[in-house]
Amino acid sequence: MLIIALEGPSYAGKSTAIRHLRHTALGSRAYVSDCYVEHIAHRDDIPPARTDSAAAQLAAFERFMEIEAIRVAEATASGRQLVILDRSVDTLLAHAYALDALFGHGVHHQLRHRLKTLPFLRPDHTLYLDVPAETLHLRRKTAGHTAAESEYFLHEAGFLRHARDYFVHTPRRPVTQELTVLAADAGPDEVTQAVEALVGFWAR
């Protein structure tokens, strides 16, 4: 089984690329999974992006790992040899890494230890969509989401910096076996084509 994950900040273009892949020959032969939050029916049940304590961060991790267990079961039951993920467990670790840096929760190492006891899909390849903060803010504004939710923790400068550091700068490697960084500040068509080309190359 070949597992490929797309990672990157919110509004980087992951979900758009995943939707595109679903309608390609690659998508037709793959088990494709949406982002964790898309598996939660009610918005109020989604753990907060900004947790106020280590306990809350640990609880959020456990909730998302319940979804990861479902992903594992569904991917296995599908019998598909190609798995494409919109975010992986590295998202959960990157989030904890950022909150540890910002608020001192001190849970990142605990989550890594806990991960060893839980079923999860370890990507063979992770494609990190790298987008400047200014472009992310513009995309969110263009989508019409800034008026309804002016405070958006996932786009705060500190969070973006530390979450990106987890993937591209931290001395402790992400879970994925191989990480590729793709500059994704171009238009959506160009980004989705680049993603499709890379996924297609890995899935040959």
Side-chain angles (χ1 to χ4, degrees), residues 67-168:
I67 297 169
E68 182 69 10
I70 294 171
R71 282 174 146 189
V72 172
E74 290 181 346
T76 303
S78 74
R80 305 291 178 88
Q81 293 305 303
L82 176 61
V83 173
I84 301 174
L85 304 174
D86 185 345
R87 297 194 182 277
S88 71
V89 292
D90 272 319
T91 278
L92 310 180
L93 294 175
H95 198 101
Y97 179 86
L99 267 64
D100 277 7
L102 292 170
F103 308 123
H105 289 343
V107 301
H108 179 82
H109 68 288
Q110 296 180 56
L111 301 192
R112 278 191 174 270
H113 181 73
R114 176 71 173 126
L115 198 60
K116 296 176 182 178
T117 69
L118 297 171
F120 66 93
L121 296 166
R122 183 187 183 190
D124 297 284
H125 298 278
T126 291
L127 181 56
Y128 181 84
L129 303 186
D130 197 18
V131 183
E134 299 78 10
T135 302
L136 296 173
H137 298 325
L138 180 60
R139 287 178 181 176
R140 184 165 173 268
K141 182 177 181 179
T142 301
H145 296 165
T146 54
E149 188 183 9
S150 58
E151 298 297 326
Y152 190 61
F153 176 69
L154 296 178
H155 279 185
E156 289 186 5
F159 180 84
L160 285 173
R161 181 176 69 257
H162 292 299
R164 181 180 186 273
D165 282 349
Y166 169 81
F167 286 100
V168 302

Side-chain angles (χ1 to χ4, degrees), residues 20-41:
H20 171 76
L21 287 173
R22 285 185 184 276
H23 296 93
T24 66
L26 285 168
S28 67
R29 63 184 178 90
Y31 166 78
V32 184
S33 181
D34 292 322
C35 180
Y36 293 100
V37 296
E38 298 300 325
H39 293 261
I40 299 177

Side-chain angles (χ1 to χ4, degrees), residues 12 18 21 24 29 33-34 42 51-52 64 66 124 158 172 194:
I18 291 286
L21 287 173
T24 66
R29 63 184 178 90
S33 181
D34 292 322
H42 302 290
T51 51
D52 57 8
F64 287 129
E66 292 173 4
D124 297 284
R172 174 172 282 180

